[in-house]
Amino acid sequence: MKKIQYVKLLGLLTVLLLLNISCKDDDTLLRGSGITEQSWSTNQTYFASAEQTLTFTFTTLSSWTAQNSSAALLSLDNDAGNSGKNTIKITVHKSSQEQGTITIKVNGYSSTSNIKIQLSNDNVEGYEINYSVDQYLKEKYLWNDDYKLLTPNFKQAYDDFLRNTLLSMTTNTLDKKRNSNGTYSLFSFIQKLDPDLQSSRSAKEKKNLEYNYGFVNFVAVQTRNTSNIVFVIQGVHKGSSADKAGLKRGMEIAEINNQKITTSNVQTYYSKLMQPSSPTSIEVKDKDGKVYTIDSGPIYVNPIIHHQVNGQTGYLVYSAFESGFDQELFDVFKEFKNQGIRVNSRSPLQRRRRCYISQSHIQLHRRRFLHWKDIRFIPI
């Protein structure tokens, strides 16, 4: 009897030992994929035409390997690498297989990360831009947590992709403007830069040339009992064509190139004046019939609209947060300081000379995401 119990006990210890070895093998793999940053999303499919190359970047905590599910469809520039920042280029080939997956496996980690690619016969020019825009919105958009829940359609032109995707959201109300016909327009937009604009950028000053007539913004006012509309100028950038022509804040524009502004074309003419895409010249007519000829540059758009000291108050009106014009902004505050104006955080009960900073609009994140407000900051 003792011998039988001894054999049973020995068998039980052997089973426990095997289970312990199995658990130790599992414990040697760390949880997660071992990828700290990646430029692709695992729940998206990336479209590409034949012989197009897609480039992806990622950072790993250990060495890695890449497995290709379809060698006939996809080829890699490299299938292994070391820890740190890495780049992998995937070329798509014409094949009977239309879908393929590249699986990135980091040594020592339990899960993998997949890049899904599909061959497309459509004209996919701009799709790669959509992927970049998608990644940027996930990181930088003010409502990025809600954006991450979307499943975007990447098979669109890049401007349609941005507009349709953001308009499908319900939480980003500050990025939308309701039109008179019940539709919505976005403040965010994407624009392909003209080569002349790209080559003119100053790396030192970080200023950008852009096509701009010089208007800060307008308020559209409909005349009583008619469909006619006038654009009331909210501000004019110094040194711009509009400024040189004599157009000023508060003036009203009633016609553009001899065409009246109406409820049916107000959005078209607003975009024409605020977002010119090329160097053009137009004529605008004020409500008194005076004609002004202005051109769209390109120019450096100075966001500092106006500043002055009046008694014990310094006033500053600016239109955007532009790092390229930091020095100009500092110069304004130096002028305020020299005249005894200063911003302070003490009790408002203490009588001090104050600086009033008025924004004609607030910019969130990127320059072209504008939320217009008539507000005044009063730091005291």
Side-chain angles (χ1 to χ4, degrees):
M1 176 66 74
K2 291 183 178 180
K3 184 176 181 180
I4 294 174
Q5 291 177 346
Y6 177 77
V7 172
K8 288 183 177 179
L9 181 60
L10 182 61
L12 180 60
L13 289 174
T14 303
V15 172
L16 292 175
L17 181 61
L18 290 173
L19 289 174
N20 188 40
I21 293 174
S22 176
C23 290
K24 284 185 176 180
D25 289 341
D26 292 339
D27 290 342
T28 58
L29 293 178
L30 300 174
R31 291 184 178 181
S33 66
I35 301 176
T36 58
E37 295 180 2
Q38 62 185 44
S39 63
W40 66 89
S41 177
T42 55
N43 62 351
Q44 291 174 1
T45 299
Y46 295 87
F47 295 88
S49 56
E51 306 311 317
Q52 182 180 358
T53 299
L54 303 179
T55 301
F56 299 95
T57 59
F58 58 104
T59 303
T60 64
L61 298 173
S62 180
S63 59
W64 58 273
T65 56
Q67 295 180 343
N68 186 354
S69 70
S70 177
L73 175 66
L74 307 173
S75 62
L76 308 177
D77 66 332
N78 61 320
D79 58 5
N82 298 319
S83 62
K85 294 184 178 180
N86 291 274
T87 299
I88 188 170
K89 294 183 178 181
I90 306 172
T91 301
V92 182
H93 306 286
K94 190 173 183 180
S95 170
S96 58
Q97 299 177 2
E98 295 185 349
Q99 290 184 333
T101 301
I102 303 299
T103 301
I104 306 296
K105 174 74 168 102
V106 179
N107 294 330
Y109 288 84
S110 58
S111 60
T112 59
S113 183
N114 296 326
I115 307 173
K116 303 173 186 176
I117 298 177
Q118 180 169 329
L119 176 65
S120 176
N121 294 322
D122 299 334
N123 179 10
V124 296
E125 182 181 1
Y127 288 6
E128 200 164 3
I129 297 176
N130 295 344
Y131 302 141
S132 299
V133 171
D134 174 69
Q135 188 66 27
Y136 181 84
L137 291 173
K138 287 179 178 178
E139 297 174 0
K140 304 295 185 181
Y141 195 45
L142 185 62
W143 300 271
N144 60 342
D145 288 337
D146 298 311
Y147 178 86
K148 292 175 184 177
L149 302 177
L150 301 178
T151 305
N153 174 19
F154 292 96
K155 298 179 69 173
Q156 306 179 70
Y158 60 86
D159 50 349
D160 291 334
F161 169 78
L162 180 69
R163 180 173 59 253
N164 295 336
T165 305
L166 296 187
L167 284 176
S168 71
M169 298 178 64
T170 58
T171 55
N172 58 341
T173 53
L174 293 180
D175 194 19
K176 298 177 182 178
K177 180 181 68 174
R178 192 177 189 278
N179 302 319
S180 58
N181 60 1
T183 61
Y184 285 86
S185 299
L186 283 170
F187 292 108
S188 296
F189 72 97
I190 185 171
Q191 182 179 1
K192 188 175 182 179
L193 285 181
D194 184 285
D196 292 339
L197 301 184
Q198 297 183 49
S199 61
S200 61
R201 181 166 182 170
S202 168
K204 181 179 179 180
E205 297 181 340
K206 296 182 180 179
K207 294 179 180 178
N208 288 304
L209 279 173
E210 64 178 73
Y211 297 124
N212 197 304
Y213 293 108
F215 298 111
V216 175
N217 205 3
F218 302 100
V219 173
V221 179
Q222 185 172 353
T223 57
R224 184 175 297 179
N225 300 325
T226 72
S227 62
N228 295 335
I229 286 178
V230 295
F231 284 150
V232 181
I233 302 174
Q234 283 195 307
V236 175
H237 292 287
K238 291 181 179 180
S240 66
S241 180
D243 179 41
K244 294 176 181 178
L247 292 163
K248 302 182 182 301
R249 173 181 170 88
M251 296 178 66
E252 300 176 5
I253 296 177
E255 293 184 18
I256 300 174
N257 288 338
N258 295 318
Q259 297 293 319
K260 290 185 178 295
I261 306 171
T262 66
T263 53
S264 62
N265 62 25
V266 59
Q267 189 62 39
T268 299
Y269 280 134
Y270 176 85
S271 298
K272 188 179 184 69
L273 290 178
M274 292 301 300
Q275 302 168 8
S277 58
S278 61
T280 55
S281 178
I282 62 173
E283 291 183 348
V284 296
K285 183 183 295 185
D286 65 18
K287 65 176 183 178
D288 298 322
K290 184 176 180 179
V291 176
Y292 303 81
T293 300
I294 56 177
D295 64 76
S296 61
I299 62 171
Y300 290 110
V301 181
N302 189 338
I304 300 174
I305 308 303
H306 177 75
H307 71 281
Q308 71 177 65
V309 174
N310 185 4
Q312 294 184 331
T313 302
Y315 293 90
L316 168 63
V317 181
Y318 61 100
S319 63
F321 298 105
E322 290 283 5
S323 60
F325 287 88
D326 283 350
Q327 186 58 53
E328 285 81 351
L329 188 60
F330 292 151
D331 290 342
V332 171
F333 281 99
K334 287 179 183 177
E335 182 180 333
F336 285 171
K337 181 179 180 180
N338 292 336
Q339 298 189 51
I341 306 298
R342 63 176 177 175
V343 179
N344 66 80
S345 58
R346 302 196 180 191
S347 167
L349 297 178
Q350 297 179 352
R351 184 179 180 86
R352 291 183 180 275
R353 308 190 83 184
R354 300 175 182 175
C355 172
Y356 288 68
I357 305 174
S358 173
Q359 281 188 305
S360 56
H361 65 259
I362 300 176
Q363 181 190 46
L364 304 178
H365 294 296
R366 299 289 284 180
R367 294 189 54 258
R368 285 301 187 180
F369 172 33
L370 306 181
H371 172 217
W372 285 85
K373 287 280 189 182
D374 284 323
I375 64 174
R376 175 170 292 169
F377 293 105
I378 310 176
I380 52 178

